[in-house]
Structures are given as structure tokens and as C-alpha cells.
Amino acid sequence: MKLPISDPMTPEPYIVKQFIRETHDTFSLDLFPKNISDSIAFQPGQFTMLYAFGVGEVPISISGPAPMQSGLIQTIRKVGKVTEALDQLKNGDTVGLRGPFGSAWPISAMKKRDIVVMAGGIGLAPLRPALYALFDQRDNFGEIALLYGARSPKDLIFTNEFKTWQEKFGIQVKVTVDTADSDWRGNVGVVTTSIPRVDFDPKNTVAMICGPEIMMKYSVAELKQLGVKEDRIHITMERNMKCAIGFCGHCQFGPAFICKDGPIFQYNQVKHFFGIREI
Amino acid sequence: MIIDREGLDQLISVLIGMGFQVVGPTVRDEAIVYENLNSINDLPEGWADEQEGGTYRLKRRSDKALFGYVVGPHSWKKFLHPPERRLFRANLKGGDFEIIPEKLEEPKFAFLGVRSCELHAIAIQDKVFLGGEHVDSTYKIRRENAFFIAVQCGQSAATCFCTSMNTGPRTESGFDLALTEILDNEHHHFIVEVGSDQGNAVMEKILHRQATGEDVMEAKKLTEEVAAKMKRTLDTTNIKELLYENLEHPQWNDIADRCMSCANCTMVCPTCFCSTVEDVTDITGDHAERWQKWDSCFTMDFTHIHGGEVRASTKSRYRQWLTHKLASWQDQFDSSGCVGCGRCITWCPVAIDLTEEIPKIRDSENQITHPGNEARHEIP
Amino acid sequence: MKSLESILANHPFFENLESKYMALVTGCASNVRFEAGQFIHRQNDEANSFYLIRQGKVALEVCPPGKKPVTVQTVTDGEILGWAWLVPPYLCQFDAQAVELTRAIVLDGKCLRTKCGEDHTLGYELLSRLLPIIGKSMEATRMQLLDVYGNND
């Protein structure tokens, strides 16, 4: 089902059913459409444009449905005036929403393969629905490894779900942070250091990576060195976005419009431009 | 068909009578711009435009030509893709708010004096706004309602290079009517080609006579002469690969030393389509509006993401503009983004000329080695 | 119980090491075990040991005055701890603390570097295995410095 969009530039009202505090600067909104009774359809990896009344609009990845949260979940980090306004929302408030937009993780093309999921910071948000899609048909995939890196322990999101993911769905989870004080019993180091710590067969592996460009660059390099094929590595790109439908021109990255050709790309499709300064 | 000056005047009034807003060339602020027309008296009679890099000057002609100029700073995109429009309004109601969608206006434009390069530019914007999964409804309605009266070019400017881009000077399609202005022997008339049923229906209402084979030949000869005399050229052979492989070419630095990042080229370009949005609230804070406005890839905040601007340098912004126009546009819309109208050359305050810059990259390409950079040569 | 030599041969660091060198290395090796919370070495200790972690986790910490100790890296199963034993002034750069029960093989660094000095082929072999790890850790440090997940503003 596609959400009925009368005009692709006009938001639909959504109700905040639940405001979920994730970390000191990150929160999730559990949203329901105000006017539409249908269920919300989206592909893992897609995003929406969220509108805060009078302030503006921002692209936000869809991070669920997830257990205990039944609507459309959007996980947001407070980094600017729109996200700060969204942070002020309370249960029952209204937001404007357009979408979902953009490309999705190609889950159905991953059958029978080992899956390496690499997330940096809030990059875990658009990967969570991908993980749940993998869990839905767990037997269709080989090893699944989640390698998750963040700045510090207090920046980690969705940590209360990791145990279930490991125990119920048999996936390997390696969490690492860039820096921690001595209270932290987990791993310290960049996310790529977790790659050799999990089991997967590089020759038969599909990778999904979402995080800052530099983190993705190093991750791709490591995976390639191990023998993961370029066309099986999927990355997400971020650029300024105003319209989300290919009209405003802001999100161009080489020949791609990140809003409609991305945000998820097969690495070999964008590698010519990936890492070029100010592209 | 042939009409004379009175016939042209009649054409304008017939179109107005049919409910069209007739827009076309007129002189304002020492330039020929596109505005509302009421009669042929509004047309730039006897004016020519002298153009060079960084130069635009109106000059008197010795005759009474109505279309004796080339192209000015305006293009038709300002009517089809308005410089600003409201997207929606929103009203606060307690803790809640409601979104009030914008009612679609349905203006009917008749464009008089559309050049071949401009028709191609509109066809290119069609792909942007109508060719994808989503459709820009404002553009769509304006585009579908529009009546196109092309004018075959009787002269080119020094900045024109449409022959290189295969967009002119003669237009063969995409119009309702196309006029060739003939000034010979003091008998000022227009040879009319009809390009659509609607064009035919309009012509029925206007005093005209049939054109002879000789007239048609004369009209063709005129544009052939314009084509033959056009001096500026751009070699577009493998231009996409050329630019994709030279994203770090030193010439970009050279251009950046001159470019003022003023955005003129993007504003005058008939295909540039970028826009931004602005949110405004009234003083009570209870009423909000969201507006779409033309934007330019030369502005600093165009690429803002949290933490900073992706394209902070002038070099990267010029590179983006030109590479988009000539290379990535091909990947995105299956055509070049340039129609060779020369506006970006004329209206650049420092006369940066893409037809000079591209050869500098092309000529030096073979001299430049990319040690250890072979991976970059794989073009998607 | 597995022999020391087979444990060493199965550790990724010594993968495919020529057997004569394997024997030589085994000569400098012994099993060792650290309880959670136990310090393996302190900053500025003489670096006489080279640890190959079999199982567990060790944190490399620095402790700025007046602040809580900061962990800059953790090493775990199949990884190594320490390369200061190979380069002068042979001093440990960090505090190393086991954060969980950790089993490791310890190699006598003094003995090893003497052997490397006598047999440059062995020296080259060990350096070829250490350098990528040192390079990676420098790369990682740069990435940590970049604070890629930070706000940048």
C-alpha cells in the first residue's frame, strides 16, 4: 500500500502516540496517521520528511515498527532547530509527515547469504527495520552479524533489544564505542575493529552499512579486503534535502539524487564519487 | 501561412479573448524581458541585443523588426516554474495544528517569441518535473495549458552555441505556431508554421494568406544562415566521461579564482530547476506557511547538513553546476542540461565561459596523469 | 590439553609461521590468566611481555589527573596486547586492565627481541605481522580523533 499523498509537497498530519527518550540527544516518535485508518507501509531503509509546525522539515529514517511500539517509528537526533522542535513534542501532539520516500535495503536479494550489518551512531535507526525483516524469515539467511559503533556508551540506542536479537534470532552483536571511562565493560575501538571478531564467509556475504561517510569508507575498505564483493555492499548517503522527490536538486551526489535514487546505494554504483572532497 | 504585423496583433488579441495571458518580449530596464503583452506595441520593435561574455547591451536596429534580438535574462521557466509559490498553510488549534493544502491555480499562458533553444529547455524541465514517479502539479497544469508561439531565430548572439547542442537555431516541433519574421523589401510579414490542432484553430480566427513554396524556402534559408554564422562552439564528445574523470582537474581552481559564486548563471539558465523551502509564521505564531523558492547550487547553505556545508568552496560549487549541467544531467534525465543559449556567459559578471573552460580541461586531459588513481576511472 | 605450540599456531597472529620459528617462539612462551579487574601492566612499566589473547578482554587505559580513567582501546580473543617490547625505550604506553577473565599466552619480549636481532628473517616475519596491527591502530586512533559521530559544531 502506498500512503495517499494528495500533493507530494503537502504533509499529512500524524499523531505522536508515544515519545520515547533513547539517549541524552536522541529520541523516537511512535506515529499514527490522523486521517488514515490503513496500516502504514514502508520498506526498511526508507525515510520520511517530518514537519514541525512553523519551524521546518527534516528527513528522518524510519526505524520501526518495533516491539512495544506499534506505529511508524522515527528515531531523531537533536542537531538543529527542526529536530529541537520535534524534541519538544508530547504524546498526543501533531506532526506533519510526507513519505515514505527513497530506496530500501534489498532484503529479498540477500537470501542464503551471510549478512554483516554495520551501524555508526544513529545509523542503527534505518537498519533496525532491516534486522526485523531478516528476523521475520531468519531461516533464509546464514550468519547475521551486527557491528555497532558509537561515540560513547551514553550514545548507544536500542541496547535493550540486543539480548533478544542474540538469543531469539541467533545473531552476533558486537558493540564498540570510540571512547569510554573505565566503568564500561564493553569494547572500545572503532567499529571496523569488530569485523574480525564475528563469523561470516566474506565470499558469500551481503553488507548493509549506515553511518558517517568516513566510518562507511573504512568499513567498505575492510570488507573489500576480506573479499566481500562491491556489489553486495550497501551504503546510505546523506545530503541536504528539501523536497525528497527529486525536484529541489539539493541532495545531488554525482549523478544520483539521494532522495529518490538513494538513500541506500549499492557501493559500486556510487564508488566513483564516494570520498571525493566536497562532491 | 503568412500573416503581417496586423495579423500578429490580431493573434495577441484572439489569444487574450480565449482567456490566455499572453506573455512575451518587451523592453524594461535596458533589457528585453518576458512580461504580459497587450498588443504588438509592447514588443521590442527595432531593438537588437549585443551580447558577449559579461556584456549585454540593447542596440537600435535600422529596421522595425519585432523579434530582432536573441535572448535576454529571462526565460519561460519563471512562468512554468514560478520563482516562489506557497506550498501550504498551517494553523495552530490548541496543541494541535491543521494543514491547509494550497488550491491549485490554473493560469493559461500563451508564450509569444519562444526560441528553439528555449523550447528544448522546456522539454528538459518537463523531464525533471513530469518525467519521474512524482509530478510537480503546478508545473504540470501550467505546461498543459500553455500555448507556444515560437519564433525562428533571424540572428544569433556572439554567445549562442545552440548548433553544438543540437537545439537550434531552427525549431521543428514542440510549438503550436512558429513564426519566421521576414523584413525584406519594406514588407514586414511572418511565415507561420502550424504545429498543433489548437494552433490551427487559432489561425482560423486570424487574417492570413497561404504561403508559397518560395516563402517556406526563404524561412528555412534564414535559419540556415544563422546556423552557418554561429561562431561559438562546444565539443560535446564524451563530455560526461571527460568531466567525471576530471573532478580534481586544476582548471576548477582557476575558475574558482574568478567565479564570484553570485548564482547569476543559475538564475538565467532556462533549465536550472533547483528550489528551496522557507517556513514563515505570523507574529502570533498561530499561522504558518511554507514557501518554495528558486535556489542556486552556488549558495552556501545549499548543501548544509548538520555540522557544515558539503560544498563550502567556490571550486566545488562551480564544479557541481557545470558537471551537473553537462554530465550528470545525462545520467539523470537522458539529455544534456545545456541548450547552448549562452545566457550563463552573457550574465556572468566576470565572463566565465563554459565553451572556453571545457576545452581547457579537454586539451590538458592527456597531459595529466593520475598516479594510483586508476580506480577512479571506472565511470558508472 | 592442547600443547603450547598448537595454541600458538592456532592464534591468528602466528598463522602459517614456519615451524622452526614456531618452535623458537614456543620456547619463549607460557600460559597466563588474569582475573577481571586485574592490571596486566601499568603505564611506564618495562615492556618485557608480549601477550596473545586467547579469550577475554583487556582495556588499555589512560588516567588523566582528576578524571576517571579513559579506555582508548580494548583487545579481545585472537588479538595481541603490546608491541612496546620490540621498540626502544621498551616502556608500556598504557595501563592494561583485564575487564573480564582473560586467558593469554605471554611471550618473553626480551628473549624474542634478542632472537629477532640474531635472526633477521624472524625479525622481519614478526614485524610484518605487527606492522599492519600498528597501522590499523593508528588509523583507528585517527578516526577516534575525528569524532565522526560527534556534532561537529
Side-chain angles (χ1 to χ4, degrees), chain B residues 149-206:
Chain B
I149 306 155
V151 166
Q152 305 286 12
C153 289
Q155 58 283 311
S156 66
T159 42
C160 290
F161 57 103
C162 63
T163 47
S164 297
M165 305 312 292
N166 295 318
T167 56
R170 179 162 202 87
T171 179
E172 308 282 358
S173 63
F175 53 79
D176 295 289
L177 301 172
L179 312 179
T180 305
E181 184 171 32
I182 306 288
L183 293 146
D184 281 357
N185 306 326
E186 290 299 308
H187 180 60
H188 194 175
H189 65 278
F190 302 89
I191 299 163
V192 183
E193 296 157 72
V194 176
S196 71
D197 293 344
Q198 199 184 10
N200 218 12
V202 169
M203 283 308 289
E204 294 294 316
K205 299 178 185 173
I206 289 157

Side-chain angles (χ1 to χ4, degrees), chain C residues 34-89:
Chain C
F34 302 100
E35 300 301 326
Q38 189 181 344
F39 277 89
I40 299 168
H41 59 65
R42 298 274 186 174
Q43 201 174 349
N44 288 330
D45 280 357
E46 264 186 64
N48 288 329
S49 300
F50 175 34
Y51 298 93
L52 295 107
I53 313 291
R54 295 175 60 196
Q55 197 182 38
K57 189 185 289 168
V58 178
L60 299 179
E61 297 175 358
V62 275
C63 191
K67 287 187 179 166
K68 265 190 157 179
V70 176
T71 304
V72 293
Q73 191 191 354
T74 51
V75 290
T76 179
D77 309 10
E79 298 172 355
I80 63 150
L81 171 64
W83 43 273
W85 56 271
L86 192 61
V87 281

Side-chain angles (χ1 to χ4, degrees), chain A residues 166-184:
Chain A
Q166 283 169 293
E167 288 170 4
K168 192 169 163 200
F169 302 109
I171 76 162
Q172 310 168 68
V173 178
K174 291 285 172 194
V175 178
T176 177
V177 296
D178 275 3
T179 177
D181 66 31
S182 52
D183 292 342
W184 170 249

Side-chain angles (χ1 to χ4, degrees), chain A residues 2 7-13 34 51 53-57 77 79 93-96 101 238-240 242 245-250 252 254-257 260 269 271-279, chain B residues 87-88 90 92 96-97 99 128 133-137 244 247-248 273-277 279 281 285-286 288 290 295 301-302 304-306 310-313 316 319-320 324 328 331-332 376 378-380:
Chain A
K2 231 179 120 111
D7 180 307
M9 291 300 283
T10 308
E12 296 286 340
K34 195 174 177 184
Y51 169 71
F53 176 82
V55 186
E57 220 179 27
R77 184 169 165 211
V79 290
D93 284 352
T94 304
V95 284
F101 300 116
E238 184 194 2
R239 285 292 183 271
N240 185 294
K242 298 290 184 201
I245 51 179
F247 291 163
C248 79
H250 282 249
Q252 286 178 82
F257 287 96
K260 58 174 188 175
Q269 293 172 332
K271 70 170 180 177
H272 181 76
F273 299 92
F274 192 65
I276 291 185
R277 278 191 195 189
E278 297 190 88
I279 196 75
Chain B
L87 294 172
F88 61 84
L92 213 54
D96 200 358
F97 69 86
I99 292 164
V128 176
E133 187 192 343
H134 296 281
V135 164
D136 184 319
S137 43
Y244 280 179
L247 295 168
E248 303 289 5
F273 58 85
C274 289
S275 60
T276 188
V277 286
D279 292 275
T281 45
D286 292 346
R290 170 159 260 244
D295 200 2
D301 62 359
F302 190 84
H304 181 85
I305 50 176
H306 71 271
V310 174
R311 291 191 282 270
S313 71
S316 67
R319 178 182 68 184
Q320 167 62 23
H324 183 216
S328 41
D331 283 327
Q332 295 168 349
R376 285 272 153 78
E378 231 171 283
I379 303 290

